[in-house]
Amino acid sequence: MREAIRELVALNILVTRPGAGTYVTELSTAELFAPLHFALRVDPPSLLHLFELRRILEPVAAAVAATRLTDEAIVGLMNLVAEAAQRSQDGDAEGLVQADERIHEEIIETMRNPLISAITRSLREVAHQSREFTASVAGVRAQTVDELESLVAALTAHDPLRAEAAMIRHLTRLEDAARKAIGA
């Protein structure tokens, strides 16, 4: 029992106060995912595990979104792709990352599944770290824009199979670029 408490304290889930007892901390996602952020910094190959998780969730989200997107959401996605293209052309990697994140967030939110939304929200900071890393790899930015254009075209056509395939291509190519960059 003591060892379990020590482990939970190390993970910032519990806090011990001498003479007062042991208490559950306020469990913010930042605190819960701090070990994962640390792992990504000291062990870049762990980034590949994040891509594996994203390849499980996001293609299905894209397929579902293709059947549920409103005309207003489609216009928003088209504007975001145009923004991503402009940011890439301007050499603004951070702006491209932000537009890419907003596209992925819109797709997830369109599912209207609070559990999947909560899971992906909790991974946002870690995913942001992975996007910053891959955006710094030579040649990734231009390909990312092409893939986002294909993805949004599939979503606009309300074609779930094309949307799923476009997301798989996008994430797989980013994972391959990350794998090469870290030498894994």
Side-chain angles (χ1 to χ4, degrees), residues 1-10 12-26:
M1 185 68 154
R2 288 182 189 156
E3 185 59 32
I5 290 173
R6 271 193 287 267
E7 290 294 322
L8 292 172
V9 168
N12 293 320
I13 295 172
L14 294 178
V15 63
T16 57
R17 296 184 186 125
T22 302
Y23 302 92
V24 175
T25 62
E26 290 188 33

PDB file of all heavy atoms in Angstrom, residues 1-10 12-26:
ATOM      1  N   MET A   1       0.821  -1.187   0.000  1.00  0.00           N
ATOM      2  CA  MET A   1       0.000   0.000   0.000  1.00  0.00           C
ATOM      3  C   MET A   1       0.869   1.256   0.000  1.00  0.00           C
ATOM      4  O   MET A   1       0.583   2.197  -0.736  1.00  0.00           O
ATOM      5  CB  MET A   1      -0.929  -0.055   1.225  1.00  0.00           C
ATOM      6  CG  MET A   1      -1.904   1.057   1.274  1.00  0.00           C
ATOM      7  SD  MET A   1      -3.092   0.884  -0.050  1.00  0.00           S
ATOM      8  CE  MET A   1      -4.439   1.725   0.642  1.00  0.00           C
ATOM      9  N   ARG A   2       1.930   1.239   0.806  1.00  0.00           N
ATOM     10  CA  ARG A   2       2.812   2.403   0.874  1.00  0.00           C
ATOM     11  C   ARG A   2       3.464   2.685  -0.474  1.00  0.00           C
ATOM     12  O   ARG A   2       3.602   3.832  -0.873  1.00  0.00           O
ATOM     13  CB  ARG A   2       3.880   2.202   1.950  1.00  0.00           C
ATOM     14  CG  ARG A   2       3.329   2.291   3.332  1.00  0.00           C
ATOM     15  CD  ARG A   2       4.426   2.131   4.350  1.00  0.00           C
ATOM     16  NE  ARG A   2       3.824   2.014   5.668  1.00  0.00           N
ATOM     17  CZ  ARG A   2       4.376   1.438   6.683  1.00  0.00           C
ATOM     18  NH1 ARG A   2       5.579   0.930   6.575  1.00  0.00           N
ATOM     19  NH2 ARG A   2       3.746   1.377   7.830  1.00  0.00           N
ATOM     20  N   GLU A   3       3.865   1.615  -1.153  1.00  0.00           N
ATOM     21  CA  GLU A   3       4.502   1.786  -2.462  1.00  0.00           C
ATOM     22  C   GLU A   3       3.515   2.391  -3.465  1.00  0.00           C
ATOM     23  O   GLU A   3       3.864   3.264  -4.256  1.00  0.00           O
ATOM     24  CB  GLU A   3       5.033   0.439  -2.973  1.00  0.00           C
ATOM     25  CG  GLU A   3       5.805   0.544  -4.272  1.00  0.00           C
ATOM     26  CD  GLU A   3       7.028   1.455  -4.195  1.00  0.00           C
ATOM     27  OE1 GLU A   3       7.673   1.554  -3.128  1.00  0.00           O
ATOM     28  OE2 GLU A   3       7.328   2.094  -5.225  1.00  0.00           O
ATOM     29  N   ALA A   4       2.267   1.948  -3.427  1.00  0.00           N
ATOM     30  CA  ALA A   4       1.245   2.494  -4.324  1.00  0.00           C
ATOM     31  C   ALA A   4       1.033   3.979  -4.046  1.00  0.00           C
ATOM     32  O   ALA A   4       0.924   4.788  -4.977  1.00  0.00           O
ATOM     33  CB  ALA A   4      -0.065   1.736  -4.159  1.00  0.00           C
ATOM     34  N   ILE A   5       1.001   4.348  -2.774  1.00  0.00           N
ATOM     35  CA  ILE A   5       0.829   5.761  -2.415  1.00  0.00           C
ATOM     36  C   ILE A   5       2.025   6.570  -2.897  1.00  0.00           C
ATOM     37  O   ILE A   5       1.869   7.654  -3.463  1.00  0.00           O
ATOM     38  CB  ILE A   5       0.600   5.922  -0.889  1.00  0.00           C
ATOM     39  CG1 ILE A   5      -0.784   5.373  -0.530  1.00  0.00           C
ATOM     40  CG2 ILE A   5       0.747   7.385  -0.465  1.00  0.00           C
ATOM     41  CD1 ILE A   5      -1.068   5.313   0.954  1.00  0.00           C
ATOM     42  N   ARG A   6       3.242   6.024  -2.722  1.00  0.00           N
ATOM     43  CA  ARG A   6       4.436   6.733  -3.211  1.00  0.00           C
ATOM     44  C   ARG A   6       4.370   6.965  -4.716  1.00  0.00           C
ATOM     45  O   ARG A   6       4.716   8.035  -5.215  1.00  0.00           O
ATOM     46  CB  ARG A   6       5.699   5.946  -2.847  1.00  0.00           C
ATOM     47  CG  ARG A   6       6.263   6.298  -1.496  1.00  0.00           C
ATOM     48  CD  ARG A   6       7.675   5.729  -1.358  1.00  0.00           C
ATOM     49  NE  ARG A   6       7.640   4.283  -1.177  1.00  0.00           N
ATOM     50  CZ  ARG A   6       7.635   3.679   0.000  1.00  0.00           C
ATOM     51  NH1 ARG A   6       7.673   4.387   1.111  1.00  0.00           N
ATOM     52  NH2 ARG A   6       7.591   2.368   0.082  1.00  0.00           N
ATOM     53  N   GLU A   7       3.917   5.952  -5.457  1.00  0.00           N
ATOM     54  CA  GLU A   7       3.804   6.077  -6.914  1.00  0.00           C
ATOM     55  C   GLU A   7       2.767   7.143  -7.293  1.00  0.00           C
ATOM     56  O   GLU A   7       2.986   7.941  -8.200  1.00  0.00           O
ATOM     57  CB  GLU A   7       3.436   4.734  -7.549  1.00  0.00           C
ATOM     58  CG  GLU A   7       4.539   3.711  -7.509  1.00  0.00           C
ATOM     59  CD  GLU A   7       5.725   4.101  -8.363  1.00  0.00           C
ATOM     60  OE1 GLU A   7       5.531   4.675  -9.457  1.00  0.00           O
ATOM     61  OE2 GLU A   7       6.867   3.840  -7.927  1.00  0.00           O
ATOM     62  N   LEU A   8       1.639   7.144  -6.602  1.00  0.00           N
ATOM     63  CA  LEU A   8       0.589   8.133  -6.891  1.00  0.00           C
ATOM     64  C   LEU A   8       1.031   9.545  -6.511  1.00  0.00           C
ATOM     65  O   LEU A   8       0.673  10.514  -7.181  1.00  0.00           O
ATOM     66  CB  LEU A   8      -0.716   7.752  -6.193  1.00  0.00           C
ATOM     67  CG  LEU A   8      -1.385   6.488  -6.735  1.00  0.00           C
ATOM     68  CD1 LEU A   8      -2.556   6.078  -5.848  1.00  0.00           C
ATOM     69  CD2 LEU A   8      -1.824   6.672  -8.172  1.00  0.00           C
ATOM     70  N   VAL A   9       1.847   9.676  -5.482  1.00  0.00           N
ATOM     71  CA  VAL A   9       2.419  10.981  -5.125  1.00  0.00           C
ATOM     72  C   VAL A   9       3.389  11.424  -6.213  1.00  0.00           C
ATOM     73  O   VAL A   9       3.386  12.583  -6.632  1.00  0.00           O
ATOM     74  CB  VAL A   9       3.098  10.930  -3.730  1.00  0.00           C
ATOM     75  CG1 VAL A   9       3.940  12.172  -3.490  1.00  0.00           C
ATOM     76  CG2 VAL A   9       2.054  10.767  -2.639  1.00  0.00           C
ATOM     77  N   ALA A  10       4.209  10.488  -6.703  1.00  0.00           N
ATOM     78  CA  ALA A  10       5.176  10.813  -7.766  1.00  0.00           C
ATOM     79  C   ALA A  10       4.469  11.275  -9.039  1.00  0.00           C
ATOM     80  O   ALA A  10       5.004  12.093  -9.793  1.00  0.00           O
ATOM     81  CB  ALA A  10       6.060   9.604  -8.065  1.00  0.00           C
ATOM     82  N   ASN A  12       1.740  12.987  -9.017  1.00  0.00           N
ATOM     83  CA  ASN A  12       0.955  14.164  -8.620  1.00  0.00           C
ATOM     84  C   ASN A  12      -0.543  13.890  -8.544  1.00  0.00           C
ATOM     85  O   ASN A  12      -1.353  14.802  -8.702  1.00  0.00           O
ATOM     86  CB  ASN A  12       1.224  15.348  -9.554  1.00  0.00           C
ATOM     87  CG  ASN A  12       2.620  15.866  -9.430  1.00  0.00           C
ATOM     88  OD1 ASN A  12       3.158  15.946  -8.327  1.00  0.00           O
ATOM     89  ND2 ASN A  12       3.225  16.205 -10.558  1.00  0.00           N
ATOM     90  N   ILE A  13      -0.913  12.649  -8.298  1.00  0.00           N
ATOM     91  CA  ILE A  13      -2.319  12.306  -8.131  1.00  0.00           C
ATOM     92  C   ILE A  13      -2.710  12.435  -6.660  1.00  0.00           C
ATOM     93  O   ILE A  13      -3.806  12.857  -6.338  1.00  0.00           O
ATOM     94  CB  ILE A  13      -2.610  10.889  -8.683  1.00  0.00           C
ATOM     95  CG1 ILE A  13      -2.385  10.896 -10.201  1.00  0.00           C
ATOM     96  CG2 ILE A  13      -4.008  10.434  -8.325  1.00  0.00           C
ATOM     97  CD1 ILE A  13      -2.453   9.542 -10.850  1.00  0.00           C
ATOM     98  N   LEU A  14      -1.764  12.079  -5.787  1.00  0.00           N
ATOM     99  CA  LEU A  14      -1.957  12.250  -4.354  1.00  0.00           C
ATOM    100  C   LEU A  14      -0.913  13.220  -3.819  1.00  0.00           C
ATOM    101  O   LEU A  14       0.156  13.365  -4.396  1.00  0.00           O
ATOM    102  CB  LEU A  14      -1.795  10.914  -3.613  1.00  0.00           C
ATOM    103  CG  LEU A  14      -2.810   9.818  -3.881  1.00  0.00           C
ATOM    104  CD1 LEU A  14      -2.449   8.562  -3.083  1.00  0.00           C
ATOM    105  CD2 LEU A  14      -4.219  10.263  -3.557  1.00  0.00           C
ATOM    106  N   VAL A  15      -1.255  13.853  -2.702  1.00  0.00           N
ATOM    107  CA  VAL A  15      -0.310  14.709  -1.997  1.00  0.00           C
ATOM    108  C   VAL A  15      -0.364  14.307  -0.532  1.00  0.00           C
ATOM    109  O   VAL A  15      -1.443  14.049   0.006  1.00  0.00           O
ATOM    110  CB  VAL A  15      -0.610  16.217  -2.199  1.00  0.00           C
ATOM    111  CG1 VAL A  15      -1.959  16.593  -1.640  1.00  0.00           C
ATOM    112  CG2 VAL A  15       0.479  17.070  -1.615  1.00  0.00           C
ATOM    113  N   THR A  16       0.826  14.183   0.064  1.00  0.00           N
ATOM    114  CA  THR A  16       0.852  13.854   1.490  1.00  0.00           C
ATOM    115  C   THR A  16       1.259  15.089   2.275  1.00  0.00           C
ATOM    116  O   THR A  16       2.161  15.822   1.876  1.00  0.00           O
ATOM    117  CB  THR A  16       1.835  12.702   1.786  1.00  0.00           C
ATOM    118  OG1 THR A  16       3.125  13.065   1.330  1.00  0.00           O
ATOM    119  CG2 THR A  16       1.400  11.420   1.110  1.00  0.00           C
ATOM    120  N   ARG A  17       0.554  15.285   3.378  1.00  0.00           N
ATOM    121  CA  ARG A  17       0.855  16.403   4.275  1.00  0.00           C
ATOM    122  C   ARG A  17       1.178  15.816   5.640  1.00  0.00           C
ATOM    123  O   ARG A  17       0.289  15.232   6.286  1.00  0.00           O
ATOM    124  CB  ARG A  17      -0.325  17.368   4.349  1.00  0.00           C
ATOM    125  CG  ARG A  17      -0.606  18.026   3.024  1.00  0.00           C
ATOM    126  CD  ARG A  17      -1.713  19.064   3.138  1.00  0.00           C
ATOM    127  NE  ARG A  17      -2.034  19.553   1.813  1.00  0.00           N
ATOM    128  CZ  ARG A  17      -3.241  19.541   1.292  1.00  0.00           C
ATOM    129  NH1 ARG A  17      -4.269  19.100   1.980  1.00  0.00           N
ATOM    130  NH2 ARG A  17      -3.430  20.007   0.080  1.00  0.00           N
ATOM    131  N   PRO A  18       2.440  15.943   6.059  1.00  0.00           N
ATOM    132  CA  PRO A  18       2.822  15.356   7.352  1.00  0.00           C
ATOM    133  C   PRO A  18       1.891  15.827   8.470  1.00  0.00           C
ATOM    134  O   PRO A  18       1.606  17.007   8.619  1.00  0.00           O
ATOM    135  CB  PRO A  18       4.253  15.874   7.556  1.00  0.00           C
ATOM    136  CG  PRO A  18       4.749  16.148   6.164  1.00  0.00           C
ATOM    137  CD  PRO A  18       3.552  16.607   5.390  1.00  0.00           C
ATOM    138  N   GLY A  19       1.384  14.882   9.202  1.00  0.00           N
ATOM    139  CA  GLY A  19       0.506  15.173  10.312  1.00  0.00           C
ATOM    140  C   GLY A  19      -0.934  15.435   9.924  1.00  0.00           C
ATOM    141  O   GLY A  19      -1.820  15.517  10.772  1.00  0.00           O
ATOM    142  N   ALA A  20      -1.199  15.580   8.607  1.00  0.00           N
ATOM    143  CA  ALA A  20      -2.558  15.892   8.160  1.00  0.00           C
ATOM    144  C   ALA A  20      -3.170  14.752   7.341  1.00  0.00           C
ATOM    145  O   ALA A  20      -4.382  14.640   7.245  1.00  0.00           O
ATOM    146  CB  ALA A  20      -2.572  17.174   7.339  1.00  0.00           C
ATOM    147  N   GLY A  21      -2.341  13.946   6.686  1.00  0.00           N
ATOM    148  CA  GLY A  21      -2.861  12.829   5.906  1.00  0.00           C
ATOM    149  C   GLY A  21      -2.501  12.900   4.440  1.00  0.00           C
ATOM    150  O   GLY A  21      -1.676  13.707   4.012  1.00  0.00           O
ATOM    151  N   THR A  22      -3.147  12.065   3.670  1.00  0.00           N
ATOM    152  CA  THR A  22      -2.921  11.962   2.225  1.00  0.00           C
ATOM    153  C   THR A  22      -4.201  12.350   1.515  1.00  0.00           C
ATOM    154  O   THR A  22      -5.290  11.881   1.877  1.00  0.00           O
ATOM    155  CB  THR A  22      -2.510  10.519   1.860  1.00  0.00           C
ATOM    156  OG1 THR A  22      -1.331  10.187   2.596  1.00  0.00           O
ATOM    157  CG2 THR A  22      -2.223  10.388   0.380  1.00  0.00           C
ATOM    158  N   TYR A  23      -4.074  13.200   0.497  1.00  0.00           N
ATOM    159  CA  TYR A  23      -5.236  13.734  -0.210  1.00  0.00           C
ATOM    160  C   TYR A  23      -5.068  13.611  -1.714  1.00  0.00           C
ATOM    161  O   TYR A  23      -3.947  13.637  -2.227  1.00  0.00           O
ATOM    162  CB  TYR A  23      -5.438  15.219   0.139  1.00  0.00           C
ATOM    163  CG  TYR A  23      -5.626  15.448   1.621  1.00  0.00           C
ATOM    164  CD1 TYR A  23      -4.536  15.737   2.436  1.00  0.00           C
ATOM    165  CD2 TYR A  23      -6.882  15.366   2.192  1.00  0.00           C
ATOM    166  CE1 TYR A  23      -4.699  15.933   3.795  1.00  0.00           C
ATOM    167  CE2 TYR A  23      -7.057  15.564   3.553  1.00  0.00           C
ATOM    168  CZ  TYR A  23      -5.961  15.847   4.349  1.00  0.00           C
ATOM    169  OH  TYR A  23      -6.130  16.035   5.687  1.00  0.00           O
ATOM    170  N   VAL A  24      -6.201  13.523  -2.399  1.00  0.00           N
ATOM    171  CA  VAL A  24      -6.201  13.536  -3.862  1.00  0.00           C
ATOM    172  C   VAL A  24      -6.027  14.982  -4.299  1.00  0.00           C
ATOM    173  O   VAL A  24      -6.682  15.888  -3.784  1.00  0.00           O
ATOM    174  CB  VAL A  24      -7.521  12.965  -4.426  1.00  0.00           C
ATOM    175  CG1 VAL A  24      -7.567  13.082  -5.940  1.00  0.00           C
ATOM    176  CG2 VAL A  24      -7.706  11.517  -3.989  1.00  0.00           C
ATOM    177  N   THR A  25      -5.131  15.202  -5.256  1.00  0.00           N
ATOM    178  CA  THR A  25      -4.918  16.557  -5.772  1.00  0.00           C
ATOM    179  C   THR A  25      -6.037  16.914  -6.737  1.00  0.00           C
ATOM    180  O   THR A  25      -6.817  16.059  -7.154  1.00  0.00           O
ATOM    181  CB  THR A  25      -3.572  16.668  -6.520  1.00  0.00           C
ATOM    182  OG1 THR A  25      -3.597  15.783  -7.634  1.00  0.00           O
ATOM    183  CG2 THR A  25      -2.403  16.350  -5.625  1.00  0.00           C
ATOM    184  N   GLU A  26      -6.082  18.180  -7.101  1.00  0.00           N
ATOM    185  CA  GLU A  26      -6.994  18.580  -8.171  1.00  0.00           C
ATOM    186  C   GLU A  26      -6.378  18.039  -9.449  1.00  0.00           C
ATOM    187  O   GLU A  26      -5.287  18.445  -9.835  1.00  0.00           O
ATOM    188  CB  GLU A  26      -7.130  20.098  -8.223  1.00  0.00           C
ATOM    189  CG  GLU A  26      -7.882  20.642  -7.031  1.00  0.00           C
ATOM    190  CD  GLU A  26      -8.172  22.124  -7.182  1.00  0.00           C
ATOM    191  OE1 GLU A  26      -8.379  22.580  -8.321  1.00  0.00           O
ATOM    192  OE2 GLU A  26      -8.184  22.792  -6.155  1.00  0.00           O
TER     193      GLU A  26
END
